Amino acid sequence: MSRTVLGGSARRDRGGEKAALRFNEPRDATRGGVNRPALPGERGRESPLWINRPATRASGCTAERAGAPAAVAGRATYYDATDRGSCSFDPPREPSDRMVAALSGADYAHASWCGACLAVAGPLGDVVVRVVDQCPGCRRGDLDLSREAFAKIAPLSAGRTKVAWREVPCPVAGPVVYQVKPGSNPQWIAIQLRNHRHRIARLEARDAGGVYHAIARTDDNYFVAPGGLGPGPYALRVSDVHGHALEDDAIALGSAAQPGAAQFPSCR
């Protein structure tokens, strides 16, 4: 989708400058840079131990329990966050809902970071934002923040600023929410996860024989079963990047947002 960066050009030469990190910053000895948070599949969690709902606690939360995931150094610009964004979440209704960010195409990683929360540190302070979009002109490690979020960490007149950011649990209330895309039917269905504490790693549907099958995620942040899942209701299993799993067995075919049974637990 087309996006306009307001706080200066997102295509820029960072000239090797580093942000003053406010978080622990483990270095990559071979590259001399700041280690990045791992993307889904990079932490060896392809086969977590699944246990029935509401949730399971897996051993993949070491970084969060330690309280110091690796920080990422980059630059931040800002934009008017008033539409759905690439993640296809509902547009924010109030300015207070606009603590959001867009990631570079490389970091967006085919929607795998949609809905994740980031703690961002800048010259004036810190802010927690939710990932809702991608910034095609941004470089890896850079952020395009909403105007409201940028103002929390730097003067808007600066246009762009050095930042350090890391992934943090989202301050959500209530269970995860399933959003079935309008137009879905027994022969084709797209499902989105909302209101989740941690990044989503996968969504699976259970067949009549009790076997779970993965549903592929598309760039617009919907999990799409091109052959459909039948008339429903559906038994679904969603897992986060820390290996927690939630199961819900009564998700109906329809466009209304449907709350699940539980929320992903904190790793602490």
Side-chain angles (χ1 to χ4, degrees):
M1 65 180 292
S2 175
R3 304 183 67 259
T4 301
V5 178
L6 300 178
S9 173
R11 296 185 181 275
R12 52 193 176 271
D13 183 0
R14 288 180 283 181
E17 295 174 328
K18 299 183 294 181
L21 302 183
R22 299 191 179 193
F23 310 113
N24 288 355
E25 47 176 286
R27 298 286 174 173
D28 183 335
T30 61
R31 298 185 181 181
V34 179
N35 290 337
R36 298 187 48 72
L39 295 175
E42 293 180 342
R43 300 184 184 180
R45 299 192 187 104
E46 292 302 311
S47 300
L49 176 63
W50 301 110
I51 306 176
N52 289 337
R53 72 172 173 177
T56 67
R57 181 183 293 273
S59 59
C61 298
T62 304
E64 189 183 340
R65 280 199 299 267
V72 179
R75 296 285 190 110
T77 50
Y78 65 87
Y79 72 108
D80 284 327
T82 56
D83 60 13
R84 288 184 176 274
S86 297
C87 293
S88 306
F89 295 130
D90 292 339
R93 294 187 177 91
E94 303 292 338
S96 59
D97 297 330
R98 294 178 189 154
M99 295 298 148
V100 296
L103 297 180
S104 70
D107 290 327
Y108 184 78
H110 303 290
S112 65
W113 280 73
C114 283
C117 288
L118 313 175
V120 184
L124 296 183
D126 306 338
V127 66
V128 174
V129 296
R130 186 167 58 101
V131 176
V132 300
D133 206 352
Q134 65 175 317
C135 175
C138 292
R139 296 184 177 187
R140 183 183 289 273
D142 289 350
L143 301 175
D144 203 14
L145 301 174
S146 65
R147 179 188 295 268
E148 293 81 359
F150 189 95
K152 298 283 188 181
I153 64 164
L156 290 176
S157 59
R160 60 181 181 178
T161 187
K162 296 178 183 179
V163 293
W165 59 269
R166 62 182 174 90
E167 186 179 5
V168 295
C170 290
V172 295
V176 298
V177 173
Y178 298 83
Q179 177 68 55
V180 178
K181 192 171 187 176
S184 294
N185 57 68
Q187 290 74 45
W188 182 92
I189 189 170
I191 304 171
Q192 183 185 88
L193 276 299
R194 300 182 177 184
N195 198 53
H196 41 88
R197 178 171 283 129
H198 306 297
R199 265 186 299 144
I200 300 299
R202 73 171 56 78
L203 178 66
E204 300 165 291
R206 191 177 70 213
D207 65 21
V211 178
Y212 279 96
H213 302 274
I215 304 174
R217 194 179 206 168
T218 56
D219 284 355
D220 64 354
N221 193 35
Y222 277 93
F223 291 84
V224 178
L229 298 175
Y234 309 117
L236 302 176
R237 180 167 67 185
V238 56
S239 61
D240 68 13
V241 294
H242 299 297
H244 301 127
L246 303 173
E247 294 186 355
D248 290 286
D249 56 12
I251 303 303
L253 180 62
S255 59
Q258 301 174 62
Q263 179 60 250
F264 293 117
S266 172
C267 292
R268 296 181 175 86

